[in-house]
C-alpha cells in the first residue's frame, strides 16, 4: 500500500497510508491527513487513487502544490517523488521494500529544491474556539462593550471648539461689515 511520508523538520517520519479513493490534506482537523503547519492551506489538496495511479489535485491553495519542484494543479505522483505543500515536503512510498528504487529510504533528502515563495497564513478560528468562547470575546451574553477611546474624544472636543470659533468670526465679520444707520 502506498503512503505519504513527511520529510520536513519537526514532522519527519509522520506518514499517512493511502487506503481510500480520496484523501484530503490540509491544516484543519476535518482533513483525512491533517498537517498542522501554517504554510499549508486549511484544505490544501486531494490525493486520489485512480487504479494504480496516485493523483494530486491542488484545491486552489495559497502556497501551491509541487511535485519535484514543479507547480501542479493536478498531476500523477509516482513512488519516490517529492510532494511539497507550502513548506512541507513529503515523499510517496510504495509497498515495496524500503531502500529499493520504488521506495527510497526516508532519510534521503530531495535533490531539487524549487524557489520558496511560501506565504505563512495565520490560522483562522476553529469550531472548538467558537464553542468555548474565543479569547478576547465577551462570552457572558451581554454583547460587545464600547471601548473608551480618548483620541476620538479629544478630536471631538477640538472640532467643536474650532467650529465655535469659526461661527464667532463669521458673525463678527458680518456685523462689522453691515452699514451703520445715519444719525
Amino acid at each position: 500500500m502506498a503512503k505519504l511520508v513527511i520529510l520536513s523538520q519537526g514532522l519527519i517520519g509522520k506518514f499517512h497510508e493511502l487506503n481510500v479513493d480520496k484523501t484530503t490534506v490540509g491544516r484543519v482537523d476535518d482533513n483525512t491527513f491533517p498537517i498542522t503547519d501554517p504554510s499549508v492551506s486549511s484544505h490544501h489538496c486531494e490525493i486520489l487513487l485512480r487504479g494504480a495511479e496516485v493523483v494530486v489535485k491542488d484545491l486552489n491553495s495559497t502556497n501551491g502544490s509541487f511535485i519535484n519542484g514543479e507547480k501542479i494543479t493536478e498531476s500523477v505522483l509516482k513512488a519516490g517523488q517529492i510532494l511539497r505543500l507550502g513548506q512541507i515536503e513529503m515523499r510517496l512510498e510504495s509497498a515495496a521494500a524500503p531502500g529499493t528504487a520504488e521506495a527510497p529510504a526516508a532519510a534521503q533528502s530531495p535533490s531539487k529544491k524549487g524557489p520558496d515563495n511560501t506565504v505563512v497564513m495565520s490560522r483562522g478560528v476553529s469550531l472548538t474556539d467558537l464553542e468555548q468562547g474565543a479569547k478576547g470575546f465577551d462570552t457572558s451574553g451581554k454583547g460587545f462593550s464600547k471601548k473608551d477611546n480618548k483620541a476620538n474624544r479629544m478630536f471631538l472636543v477640538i472640532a467643536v471648539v474650532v467650529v465655535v470659533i469659526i461661527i464667532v468670526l463669521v458673525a463678527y465679520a458680518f456685523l462689522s461689515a453691515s452699514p451703520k444707520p445715519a444719525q
Side-chain angles (χ1 to χ4, degrees):
M1 181 169 301
K3 65 181 176 179
L4 288 171
V5 179
I6 297 182
L7 306 172
S8 297
Q9 199 67 15
L11 297 171
I12 292 175
K14 181 178 178 182
F15 69 93
H16 182 80
E17 290 187 359
L18 302 174
N19 51 11
V20 293
D21 290 341
K22 179 172 122 178
T23 300
T24 57
V25 182
R27 188 178 66 243
V28 294
D29 291 337
D30 66 352
N31 288 289
T32 315
F33 184 24
I35 300 173
T36 54
D37 184 85
S39 68
V40 176
S41 292
S42 57
H43 297 98
H44 201 101
C45 71
E46 292 176 341
I47 311 292
L48 308 168
L49 297 180
R50 294 185 182 157
E53 289 185 332
V54 176
V55 177
V56 179
K57 180 179 178 185
D58 186 77
L59 298 175
N60 295 320
S61 61
T62 302
N63 295 318
S65 298
F66 299 82
I67 294 179
N68 286 349
E70 299 293 320
K71 187 169 184 159
I72 58 108
T73 52
E74 184 170 330
S75 185
V76 175
L77 178 66
K78 296 178 182 165
Q81 288 186 317
I82 303 299
L83 172 63
R84 181 167 57 92
L85 309 177
Q87 294 178 344
I88 301 299
E89 291 186 338
M90 58 191 85
R91 180 182 24 250
L92 179 65
E93 294 185 358
S94 69
T100 63
E102 280 189 16
Q108 294 175 345
S109 62
S111 59
K112 182 179 178 187
K113 190 115 168 140
D116 191 4
N117 297 330
T118 303
V119 177
V120 176
M121 301 296 289
S122 62
R123 182 178 154 256
V125 178
S126 70
L127 183 58
T128 55
D129 288 344
L130 291 174
E131 289 171 347
Q132 295 173 354
K135 186 178 181 183
F137 286 97
D138 177 19
T139 57
S140 65
K142 296 177 186 173
F144 293 101
S145 62
K146 190 172 182 179
K147 280 175 94 175
D148 181 33
N149 195 338
K150 291 181 182 179
N152 283 346
R153 202 173 332 150
M154 288 300 296
F155 176 78
L156 263 169
V157 168
I158 291 171
V160 168
V161 169
V162 168
V163 168
V164 168
I165 291 173
I166 290 173
I167 290 173
V168 168
L169 288 174
V170 168
Y172 177 76
F174 181 73
L175 290 174
S176 64
S178 62
K180 296 190 179 186
Q183 291 185 351

